[in-house]
């Protein structure tokens, strides 16, 4: 998001700067707008906060494989 700061880390609980979103922010895991994601925020490490999700392979970015796996799982889940 060009309007909100994003920290690409493998954190499972909500990172405050990642929680903020604009109308165009998108959930990488659910593939929906951030405001429609039921798991955008989370204080439970067993249910990772989707506001932290990313696919980045940039230097310093960590945890992208976790988010790609959750996205794949969600896509494969029957609707």
């Amino acid at each position: 998001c060009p309007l909100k700061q994003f920290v690409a880390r493998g954190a499972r609980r909500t990172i405050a700067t990642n929680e903020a979103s604009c109308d165009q922010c998108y959930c990488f895991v659910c593939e929906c707008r951030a405001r429609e994601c039921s798991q955008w925020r989370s204080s439970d490490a067993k249910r990772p906060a989707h506001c932290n999700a990313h696919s980045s392979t940039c230097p310093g970015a960590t945890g992208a494989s976790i988010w790609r796996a959750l996205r794949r799982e969600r896509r494969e889940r029957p609707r």
Side-chain angles (χ1 to χ4, degrees):
C1 176
L3 304 176
K4 308 292 180 182
Q5 178 184 2
F6 182 81
V7 178
R9 295 284 181 262
R12 299 178 75 75
R13 291 185 176 90
T14 301
I15 293 176
T17 56
N18 292 350
E19 182 180 4
S21 63
C22 73
D23 287 341
Q24 298 301 310
C25 285
Y26 196 76
C27 175
F28 176 77
V29 176
C30 296
E31 299 181 285
C32 66
R33 293 200 181 207
R35 68 175 174 260
E36 298 165 358
C37 173
S38 62
Q39 211 170 315
W40 189 251
R41 297 164 194 82
S42 179
S43 58
D44 181 353
K46 293 179 184 175
R47 293 184 43 132
H50 289 184
C51 66
N52 299 327
H54 65 90
S55 64
S56 183
T57 55
C58 298
T62 61
S65 60
I66 294 165
W67 302 116
R68 285 193 297 267
L70 285 172
R71 185 180 199 184
R72 192 172 36 255
E73 251 178 57
R74 188 166 183 92
R75 283 181 173 174
E76 293 170 357
R77 197 181 306 158
R79 295 182 191 252

